[in-house]
């Protein structure tokens, strides 16, 4: 089976930085995705890492260490609209995605 | 990127009936998938929709309950058959294009 762990909830203040960690143990690995999902909506693609290192996209950055089975999503300059669930997903060798349970981020004024 | 639409967006159905969900992608995608998201939970893969052949189902999901079609590279359907209240969920279509996987808006299903 696949094991993907991420914290259940995180709370941060508007303008702050939050780091969401994801650790994984899977039968294969073909990349790691981060998605944002607002309540009642579909997941929206944020980032994709297949090689080790940091990928930066505006206020969002994602890091991957394949040897450690570890990734994080960094959200900078938090805004109220960033309140959402953030899903870590590992793509397996057959291109299927295996999802973590999701981290609910609440941004407070 | 790929833009994915689904119909219907939501439905309320009686137990024992069936519902077919349609998924349309605005451009060709290499792979299409169907996921289920139960209330308060993350996404679970139901099956991979294969063009012109039978879908590949994950453990716990069977063709008789969730028949899937994919007649071409941009369209797929998922049928939820002989529904029970336990089938109440959000069903999401997904397509893979150039290494990235995109999701449709989902179909919210409530079975009474």
């Amino acid at each position: 089976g696949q094991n993907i762990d991420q914290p259940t909830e995180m709370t941060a203040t508007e303008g702050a930085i939050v780091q969401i960690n994801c650790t994984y143990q899977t039968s294969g690995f073909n990349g790691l995705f981060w998605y944002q999902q607002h309540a009642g909506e579909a997941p929206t693609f944020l980032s994709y890492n297949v090689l080790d290192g940091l990928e930066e996209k505006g206020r969002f950055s994602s890091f991957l260490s394949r040897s450690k089975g570890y990734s994080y999503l960094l959200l900078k300059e938090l805004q109220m609209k960033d309140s959402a669930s953030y899903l870590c997903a590992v793509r397996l060798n057959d291109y299927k995605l295996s999802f973590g349970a999701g981290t609910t981020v609440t941004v407070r004024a | 990127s790929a833009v994915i639409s689904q119909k219907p967006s939501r439905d309320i159905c009686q137990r024992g009936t069936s519902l077919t969900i349609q998924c349309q992608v605005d451009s060709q995608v290499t792979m299409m998938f169907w996921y289920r998201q139960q209330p308060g939970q993350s996404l679970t893969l139901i099956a991979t929709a294969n063009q012109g052949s039978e879908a590949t189902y994950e453990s716990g999901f069977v063709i008789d309950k969730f028949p899937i079609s994919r007649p071409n590279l941009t369209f797929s359907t998922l049928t939820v058959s002989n529904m029970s209240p336990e089938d109440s969920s959000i069903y999401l279509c997904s397509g893979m294009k150039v290494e990235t996987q995109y999701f449709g808006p989902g179909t919210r299903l409530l079975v009474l």
Side-chain angles (χ1 to χ4, degrees):
Chain A
Q2 320 302 337
N3 192 25
I4 300 169
D5 289 320
Q6 51 183 129
T8 305
E9 294 180 335
M10 301 183 76
T11 301
T13 306
E14 199 173 13
I17 298 173
V18 69
Q19 177 174 315
I20 307 170
N21 296 323
C22 173
T23 58
Y24 63 89
Q25 290 179 305
T26 55
S27 56
F29 182 85
N30 195 8
L32 188 142
F33 289 82
W34 284 96
Y35 289 88
Q36 180 191 61
Q37 187 176 29
H38 285 101
E41 298 182 13
T44 303
F45 169 76
L46 289 179
S47 69
Y48 168 62
N49 294 66
V50 65
L51 299 176
D52 290 352
L54 185 68
E55 295 276 344
E56 297 188 79
K57 274 188 185 181
R59 294 190 298 114
F60 292 14
S61 303
S62 57
F63 172 83
L64 175 67
S65 170
R66 288 172 296 170
S67 62
K68 294 182 180 177
Y70 168 70
S71 174
Y72 68 73
L73 178 69
L74 194 68
L75 286 63
K76 294 179 268 189
E77 301 170 17
L78 278 173
Q79 302 175 11
M80 299 299 289
K81 67 178 182 179
D82 297 329
S83 292
S85 181
Y86 291 84
L87 307 175
C88 172
V90 172
R91 184 157 69 187
L92 308 176
N93 293 338
D94 51 10
Y95 293 96
K96 301 172 185 176
L97 289 183
S98 182
F99 281 85
T103 299
T104 300
V105 172
T106 302
V107 181
R108 293 187 174 163
Chain B
S1 66
V3 177
I4 302 177
S5 59
Q6 288 183 231
K7 288 194 296 187
S9 59
R10 58 180 65 230
D11 208 341
I12 301 174
C13 301
Q14 297 297 319
R15 70 170 65 211
T17 62
S18 297
L19 175 72
T20 295
I21 303 167
Q22 297 181 7
C23 173
Q24 180 72 55
V25 189
D26 69 335
S27 55
Q28 291 184 359
V29 290
T30 50
M31 301 184 78
M32 292 182 77
F33 305 90
W34 286 96
Y35 289 82
R36 180 171 75 181
Q37 186 172 29
Q38 297 188 300
Q41 298 188 24
S42 194
L43 283 74
T44 300
L45 180 63
I46 297 172
T48 304
N50 300 310
Q51 185 201 354
S53 64
E54 193 172 287
T56 306
Y57 291 83
E58 297 302 300
S59 176
F61 298 95
V62 295
I63 187 171
D64 290 345
K65 176 67 176 178
F66 298 102
I68 288 170
S69 78
R70 188 183 173 192
N72 57 50
L73 289 174
T74 62
F75 184 79
S76 177
T77 66
L78 167 74
T79 299
V80 186
S81 303
N82 188 25
M83 288 184 283
S84 67
E86 292 71 36
D87 295 320
S88 296
S89 187
I90 301 172
Y91 292 85
L92 296 121
C93 172
S94 174
M96 189 176 85
K97 185 173 183 179
V98 193
E99 298 295 323
T100 301
Q101 197 159 333
Y102 301 93
F103 285 86
T107 296
R108 291 179 170 273
L109 173 62
L110 177 63
V111 184
L112 302 177

